[in-house]
Amino acid sequence: MKTQDIRQNATAPCVCWLTYSETHSGVLKTIVSFSPPKGSPLDVLEKSNTPTLKRAISCDSIMSNSSVAAEALESPHHCGEIELGLEYDTETEDLIVIINRARDLVGPIPNSIVDSYIKVFLLPDRSTNMQTRIQRKSNNPVFKERFLFGVDEADISHRSLLCTVFTCDKYTNSMLGESEIKLSDVDLSQPYMGWFPIVDSNQGPAELGDVMFSLSYLPTAERLTVVIVKGRNLRWDKSASSTEFNPFVKVYLLQNGNKFAKKKTSVKKNERDPNFNEAMIFSVPSNALQNMQLRISVADAQSSGKSPPVGHVFVGPYCKGKSLSHWNQMMSSLRKPVAMWHPLRKTADF
């Protein structure tokens, strides 16, 4: 009897819908849904307590935040270590900094021998810095240089020492990484000497905010597309005369360190978390990609006509850490946009 009922209900009319949805790549997908006849086995199953399956949402979109979770799992990329000596002279109120040596420096090109030098800042002041001499052809350079910074004893615990390591050649200076030491963490009642890690300059703390952008390369058209998606927690120089922050993004295409092309987004009025969603297309032959690099710079469009920089990100085949990973993912996923968040770094004055 049950078999007969099922057969009768199975022949009852079934209402179907065909729904077309367009993916971000322009491909149409067809979704079939239907309403089972009342009393049919499918109708009974639908009314049971069986959990309803939901269609997965594609992560291919450049608006996906999946890269944020991946970023949180990444450990900082170290580019070597630096040995520093610190001492505070209470009589002269001078902080004595000794740049002793560095070891295991990792240059822009893997397994290469580098020329290097170090700039030293006493934060939050970045206008004044000390610089070592260039040590050539060594990944374990010895500096043995001594610098003095005048600082009040009452203020010393609120300051940080920033050592920025650069590599250089005949044509360019590249920021290798940074090591920041909070002076409140060091016992300055006696001379101190210790090793500190040099963190990839693209993976330090995002003190200036972050920017999300996607990269894609179409080899048949030899077209490199950069989509500036959005920024978050952007910080600007509040000491400037402007009381508003009007961010925009400049994208530089560099070839062998020289500016090859430049494009920029529109200005977002008084926004710290701007949404841009603006695409920029560059014509790049496939055989030239290995010599190319992108510089993504965030700037503030002030009413005075000036546009002071906020920070920047470099991405390319000779970068390190996340910047190199982003470029490599683009090259391994041709025609498909790859989006990532990147922390902004302070623009260096070479």
Side-chain angles (χ1 to χ4, degrees):
M1 184 63 182
K2 286 185 178 180
T3 304
Q4 185 178 2
D5 290 342
I6 291 174
R7 288 177 179 175
Q8 288 176 352
N9 287 328
T11 59
C14 177
V15 182
C16 299
W17 291 270
L18 295 179
T19 304
Y20 295 93
S21 64
E22 186 173 0
T23 66
H24 76 278
S25 58
V27 179
L28 289 177
K29 290 184 178 179
T30 306
I31 304 170
V32 181
S33 56
F34 64 92
S35 175
K38 187 175 181 180
S40 70
L42 291 176
D43 181 46
V44 174
L45 181 62
E46 189 180 58
K47 293 179 180 179
S48 68
N49 294 326
T50 305
T52 304
L53 296 179
K54 296 183 179 180
R55 192 163 61 92
I57 300 174
S58 171
C59 295
D60 294 343
S61 170
I62 60 173
M63 295 300 293
S64 171
N65 283 323
S66 59
S67 58
V68 180
E71 177 183 347
L73 297 176
E74 292 183 0
S75 58
H77 183 269
H78 292 172
C79 309
E81 293 181 300
I82 182 173
E83 187 180 35
L84 301 176
L86 297 171
E87 184 179 353
Y88 186 72
D89 190 330
T90 55
E91 293 184 3
T92 61
E93 293 192 326
D94 285 328
L95 176 67
I96 304 168
V97 180
I98 299 173
I99 305 296
N100 195 31
R101 54 181 172 159
R103 65 186 179 191
D104 302 329
L105 297 184
V106 180
I109 302 175
N111 302 319
S112 62
I113 305 299
V114 299
D115 299 341
S116 61
Y117 65 93
I118 299 174
K119 283 187 176 183
V120 186
F121 301 83
L122 186 60
L123 301 180
D125 181 19
R126 285 181 176 266
S127 60
T128 304
N129 68 84
M130 307 290 186
Q131 180 177 318
T132 68
R133 292 183 292 272
I134 296 175
Q135 298 298 321
R136 300 193 181 278
K137 297 182 179 180
S138 176
N139 294 70
N140 301 285
V142 177
F143 297 96
K144 292 188 180 297
E145 297 191 43
R146 184 173 181 267
F147 304 106
L148 297 179
F149 290 90
V151 55
D152 294 337
E153 185 174 2
D155 193 36
I156 193 73
S157 61
H158 304 293
R159 310 295 287 271
S160 295
L161 192 73
L162 178 66
C163 296
T164 306
V165 183
F166 291 87
T167 59
C168 58
D169 55 30
K170 185 177 179 180
Y171 303 102
T172 60
N173 293 264
S174 301
M175 187 186 297
L176 178 68
E178 299 175 333
S179 185
E180 184 173 346
I181 302 97
K182 292 183 178 180
L183 297 180
S184 59
D185 295 338
V186 180
D187 182 7
L188 294 175
S189 62
Q190 56 187 351
Y192 174 87
M193 183 73 73
W195 287 96
F196 298 90
I198 301 169
V199 179
D200 183 348
S201 57
N202 279 318
Q203 289 198 353
E207 297 177 353
L208 304 173
D210 306 270
V211 62
M212 175 191 267
F213 56 90
S214 74
L215 303 176
S216 62
Y217 185 71
L218 184 61
T220 53
E222 296 188 327
R223 188 174 67 201
L224 174 64
T225 302
V226 182
V227 178
I228 304 299
V229 182
K230 54 186 174 180
R232 66 181 179 191
N233 300 323
L234 300 182
R235 300 184 183 182
W236 76 104
D237 184 7
K238 296 182 180 180
S239 63
S241 57
S242 176
T243 58
E244 289 189 352
F245 177 51
N246 304 317
F248 68 100
V249 180
K250 294 182 285 187
V251 180
Y252 298 92
L253 182 64
L254 310 177
Q255 184 176 30
N256 295 321
N258 299 315
K259 293 179 183 178
F260 183 75
K262 171 188 170 183
K263 297 179 184 291
K264 62 182 180 179
T265 68
S266 58
V267 176
K268 300 298 180 180
K269 296 291 185 179
N270 202 25
E271 291 189 34
R272 285 189 57 194
D273 302 287
N275 287 303
F276 294 100
N277 293 321
E278 297 183 36
M280 303 174 188
I281 299 174
F282 300 92
S283 296
V284 182
S286 56
N287 59 2
L289 279 173
Q290 60 184 357
N291 298 318
M292 292 296 181
Q293 192 176 37
L294 287 168
R295 174 172 172 160
I296 314 294
S297 298
V298 178
D300 178 18
Q302 297 181 351
S303 57
S304 62
K306 297 181 179 180
S307 300
V310 175
H312 70 267
V313 177
F314 282 101
V315 178
Y318 295 123
C319 294
K320 297 171 292 297
K322 177 178 289 187
S323 294
L324 176 60
S325 175
H326 197 172
W327 184 268
N328 287 341
Q329 286 190 42
M330 176 195 74
M331 296 303 298
S332 62
S333 306
L334 297 176
R335 304 176 181 85
K336 178 180 177 182
V338 179
M340 281 190 183
W341 283 105
H342 290 265
L344 292 173
R345 307 302 296 160
K346 193 67 177 178
T347 302
D349 298 321
F350 297 137

